[in-house]
Amino acid sequence: GLEQLAGPVALALQETKGKSADTVAIVVCEMGNQRITQWWPGQTRCELLVGGPGTCPELEGPQGVALDEDGSIWVTEKSGNRVTRWRPGNSHGEVMAGGKGRGDNL
C-alpha cells in the first residue's frame, strides 16, 4: 500500500522552493515495489511518482534516484540496464543511457 515501503535502496531530498527546510520531502527508490515515492513530513502515506507493480510503464529493478533543477526524476534501473529520466507531468520515462541489454564486454 501507499503507507508501506518495500526494499528501499536509495533516496533523494526534494525542497519546495520558497519553503523552509522542514518541508523537505524524501523521494525513495523502492526495489521491492518497483516504484519511486515521495514522503512529506508528517504524512502516513506516500505519493506515487513513478512506477509501481502492474503499472505501465514499469521500472525494471530501480536502484538509484536523483532529482534535477527542472524537477525531473532520474532512475538507475539494474534489471533494465538503463538510466531513465521522468520529466514533470510526463507519464513515460526517456531512456538516457543503456537500455540495449547488459554490457559486459569491454
Side-chain angles (χ1 to χ4, degrees):
L2 293 177
E3 65 283 343
Q4 298 172 314
L5 293 172
V9 293
L11 66 85
L13 301 178
Q14 182 178 39
E15 279 188 73
T16 302
K17 292 180 181 176
K19 295 199 175 188
S20 64
D22 62 350
T23 58
V24 172
I26 301 170
V27 176
V28 180
C29 178
E30 295 182 57
M31 177 74 166
N33 281 327
Q34 301 291 310
R35 67 186 186 185
I36 306 297
T37 55
Q38 183 178 54
W39 297 78
W40 290 96
Q43 278 187 322
T44 57
R45 294 174 60 89
C46 67
E47 176 185 343
L48 181 62
L49 298 179
V50 177
T55 61
C56 184
E58 286 193 11
L59 295 175
E60 295 182 41
Q63 292 285 304
V65 63
L67 309 171
D68 67 20
E69 291 178 2
D70 74 358
S72 292
I73 301 167
W74 294 75
V75 183
T76 57
E77 300 179 47
K78 182 178 181 181
S79 300
N81 296 299
R82 64 188 183 188
V83 176
T84 52
R85 175 176 60 187
W86 302 77
R87 293 180 187 255
N90 287 0
S91 60
H92 295 322
E94 303 168 77
V95 176
M96 303 305 290
K100 299 190 184 304
R102 183 174 177 192
D104 56 3
N105 295 321
L106 297 178

